[in-house]
Amino acid sequence: MPNKLPELRRSKAAAQAGSDGTDGAGRDGAGRDGHLLANEILLGLPRNVCNNLVSKTQLVKLPIHSVLNEVNAPIQYLYFINSGLASVLSVLQDGKSVEVGLTGREGFVGVPVVAGFKSSPTRVIMQIEGSGYRILPKDLLAALKTSPPLERSLLRYSQELALQASQIAACNRVHEVDERLARWLLMSQDRIGGALIPLTQEFLAHMLGTRRASVTVAAGMLQKAGLISYVRGQLKIEDRDRLENASCECYATLTRQLDAWKSEAE
């Protein structure tokens, strides 16, 4: 049975949304069973819409490598990511895959349902364990019929994912591995917060669509320059400003466009 959402209170992870400690709806965040609501889409909804929607969800743990949506398979559940990091993968016929998007607490998994589709064109897996508010497609579709703000938010997020996919495709084609790694680390930090990113170089190679040896060399270059450190399966960003300078233009392009859309939507 879905848990009830008794009161809204803001998480520290989402505090940047409002300097006065409130979100766009004027409330102070949301909590359930001792957990803080950090998903930015939910926090951006009017209080009554958020309460009604979250009351139809179940807050679930999302272990590392768990598959949220599978390619060409019916979408059974949708997720408002609350913590952790999910990777959107394009899967080829030979089983190989490459990352075409990232989503964390700013996002939502199951966008095709919003457009009226029932299956996923991509595989979405958890790279970094976390949690999410899980909802059935029928419950979300019912909420969309009565909530223009929710529909608008999810349509906007679908455009953000499309922007990521197109920019990452270009990035993987024309930029060097060290530049792409820097871009990926910056995008990941934006979504999970903190400087530590618990991933192996083997998994990074899979995400970047390249050989592990290439990632090892690229990570070594960034580490030697003092931009990151790598210890026991964890990458740590040591100097974000310089890492941004080491990244290809794609990170700045994505950030600039997202900021422009945010201004246009205000």
Side-chain angles (χ1 to χ4, degrees), residues 41-56:
I41 293 176
L42 294 176
L43 285 170
L45 297 173
R47 174 191 284 264
N48 64 323
V49 176
C50 181
N51 281 348
N52 181 63
L53 183 61
V54 177
S55 71
K56 294 178 173 59

Side-chain angles (χ1 to χ4, degrees), residues 225-244:
L227 308 186
I228 66 170
S229 58
Y230 183 76
V231 180
R232 297 179 181 177
Q234 289 198 107
L235 282 166
K236 182 181 180 182
I237 296 177
E238 300 287 355
D239 191 329
R240 182 180 170 97
D241 289 341
R242 291 175 60 211
L243 189 64
E244 289 188 20

Side-chain angles (χ1 to χ4, degrees), residues 155-176:
L155 288 175
R156 286 173 177 170
Y157 184 65
S158 72
Q159 289 301 301
E160 292 182 20
L161 283 180
L163 173 65
Q164 277 194 58
S166 62
Q167 194 67 46
I168 290 174
C171 185
N172 288 341
R173 177 67 179 86
V174 301
H175 292 140
E176 300 297 329

Side-chain angles (χ1 to χ4, degrees), residues 32-251:
R32 170 191 287 181
D33 294 348
H35 293 271
L36 296 174
L37 175 61
N39 182 270
E40 294 173 10
I41 293 176
L42 294 176
L43 285 170
L45 297 173
R47 174 191 284 264
N48 64 323
V49 176
C50 181
N51 281 348
N52 181 63
L53 183 61
V54 177
S55 71
K56 294 178 173 59
T57 69
Q58 181 181 16
L59 181 61
V60 296
K61 292 182 179 180
L62 301 175
I64 187 172
H65 298 162
S66 57
V67 178
L68 307 186
N69 286 172
E70 183 56 276
V71 62
N72 296 329
I75 298 174
Q76 297 182 328
Y77 295 104
L78 315 172
Y79 300 84
F80 292 91
I81 303 297
N82 203 56
S83 63
L85 186 67
S87 179
V88 183
L89 303 175
S90 179
V91 183
L92 304 179
Q93 289 185 352
D94 62 3
K96 293 180 180 179
S97 60
V98 64
E99 185 177 78
V100 294
L102 286 170
T103 184
R105 63 176 184 256
E106 88 292 351
F108 169 78
V109 174
V111 165
V113 170
V114 180
F117 301 122
K118 297 181 179 180
S119 61
S120 176
T122 56
R123 175 182 298 151
V124 184
I125 66 170
M126 292 300 293
Q127 290 188 11
I128 298 175
E129 66 179 4
S131 64
Y133 287 86
R134 187 175 69 184
I135 186 170
L136 291 169
K138 67 179 181 65
D139 290 331
L140 182 78
L141 290 173
L144 286 172
K145 291 179 180 178
T146 60
S147 176
L150 174 61
E151 182 180 31
R152 184 165 54 248
S153 293
L154 293 179
L155 288 175
R156 286 173 177 170
Y157 184 65
S158 72
Q159 289 301 301
E160 292 182 20
L161 283 180
L163 173 65
Q164 277 194 58
S166 62
Q167 194 67 46
I168 290 174
C171 185
N172 288 341
R173 177 67 179 86
V174 301
H175 292 140
E176 300 297 329
V177 176
D178 58 313
E179 296 176 314
R180 290 157 50 196
L181 176 59
R183 183 263 301 162
W184 190 93
L185 291 172
L186 292 165
M187 291 179 65
S188 298
Q189 186 182 38
D190 288 345
R191 286 158 178 79
I192 64 174
L196 285 175
I197 302 176
L199 290 172
T200 64
Q201 291 188 14
E202 181 177 0
F203 197 61
L204 277 172
H206 181 62
M207 293 302 98
L208 295 173
T210 189
R211 297 178 302 154
R212 179 178 178 179
S214 298
V215 172
T216 299
V217 172
M221 292 171 59
L222 297 179
Q223 182 166 326
K224 186 175 181 180
L227 308 186
I228 66 170
S229 58
Y230 183 76
V231 180
R232 297 179 181 177
Q234 289 198 107
L235 282 166
K236 182 181 180 182
I237 296 177
E238 300 287 355
D239 191 329
R240 182 180 170 97
D241 289 341
R242 291 175 60 211
L243 189 64
E244 289 188 20
N245 291 333
S247 172
C248 56
E249 66 190 75
C250 294
Y251 178 73

